Amino acid sequence: MNPDDLAVACRQIGISGGAYFFELETLEIGERFGLDGFEFYFIGRGGVLGEVEPAVVTSAFGYFSASLVEQTWTSACKKLPPREGAKA
């Protein structure tokens, strides 16, 4: 695979993930817990790690800035325990 092929594949993966996490039905589930779409995305994906520091989530996600992860993860965890977020 060359870099151009990789870029296309990554874009498709992002579109597919976004289609699931930001689907109206998914967003409505997050709203039941008082979470906005981005908070629900973070706690849904990162919640499998359990009650961890934002730096752990940053490492696992790999492509979000540390400051964004810290702000969003911390906010989401105040509203819903991480493992519950993953289950939701």
Side-chain angles (χ1 to χ4, degrees), residues 18-87:
Y20 172 76
F21 273 104
F22 299 104
E23 173 69 31
L24 182 58
E25 290 176 44
T26 304
L27 294 173
E28 289 172 347
I29 294 169
E31 286 176 4
R32 287 186 229 155
F33 298 101
L35 301 165
D36 68 27
F38 218 43
E39 289 171 327
F40 193 46
Y41 171 82
F42 270 70
I43 205 151
R45 283 192 60 213
V48 298
L49 300 169
E51 303 225 6
V52 298
E53 298 297 318
V56 175
V57 180
T58 300
S59 295
F61 281 22
Y63 45 82
F64 291 103
S65 71
S67 61
L68 176 64
V69 172
E70 182 172 5
Q71 177 183 349
T72 309
W73 179 252
T74 302
S75 175
C77 288
K78 288 178 182 176
K79 299 174 183 178
L80 184 66
R83 292 206 187 270
E84 293 300 314
K87 289 177 185 177

